[in-house]
Amino acid sequence: MTEHLIEYVARDRTGITTVVTTTSVIDVDTVIQHIHAGHAGYYVAADSWKRTPVRSMTFLGGAYLFANWDGSKRNMLHDLAFHAPTRTTETKPVRQSPFARLLSALFGPRDAARPVRRG
């Protein structure tokens, strides 16, 4: 049986979709089939000295991959998901219309914290 080291996983809102090993990129259904059939084993190197096996768990909707290397009940494969870098964007201030500037000049600036008197 061959063993593959999982380096990253790709996921979407439904869960893990793809597994990235040191040699290839494999969809999660194929990985689950390999584990169930006993053709291949998959593991995660949580530390440089510890190998954690990846298991296939069956639940209501089907099978999913599970690995846990710290003893909690949480599926830690999600920690291997690649996080895309985020960009900051500069927002431009909203310009007032000429009519709003005229009203501000005549009646003073509108303060959102000040309650509006009625009646």
Side-chain angles (χ1 to χ4, degrees):
M1 174 170 60
T2 59
E3 290 192 341
H4 303 280
L5 170 65
I6 295 177
E7 294 183 330
Y8 296 105
V9 296
R11 60 181 226 177
D12 62 7
R13 59 182 168 76
T14 62
I16 297 171
T17 58
T18 309
V19 171
V20 179
T21 67
T22 53
T23 58
S24 63
V25 178
I26 311 166
D27 70 294
V28 72
D29 294 328
T30 304
V31 172
I32 290 171
Q33 289 173 358
H34 287 174
I35 292 173
H36 276 294
H39 295 308
Y42 293 85
Y43 68 95
V44 177
D47 295 326
S48 60
W49 54 273
K50 184 178 178 184
R51 289 171 38 148
T52 303
V54 175
R55 297 177 294 176
S56 173
M57 308 287 281
T58 304
F59 196 62
L60 298 174
Y64 66 95
L65 296 177
F66 183 85
N68 182 291
W69 54 81
D70 71 348
S72 66
K73 294 182 180 183
R74 191 170 70 88
N75 187 358
M76 300 186 97
L77 272 180
H78 294 284
D79 293 347
L80 298 178
F82 178 74
H83 299 288
T86 57
R87 294 185 304 160
T88 57
T89 57
E90 184 178 333
T91 57
K92 296 180 181 178
V94 179
R95 294 189 59 191
Q96 284 186 331
S97 68
F99 182 70
R101 284 197 309 252
L102 175 66
L103 289 177
S104 293
L106 292 175
F107 301 109
R110 181 174 175 174
D111 187 10
R114 185 174 30 171
V116 177
R117 291 187 291 184
R118 301 193 191 259

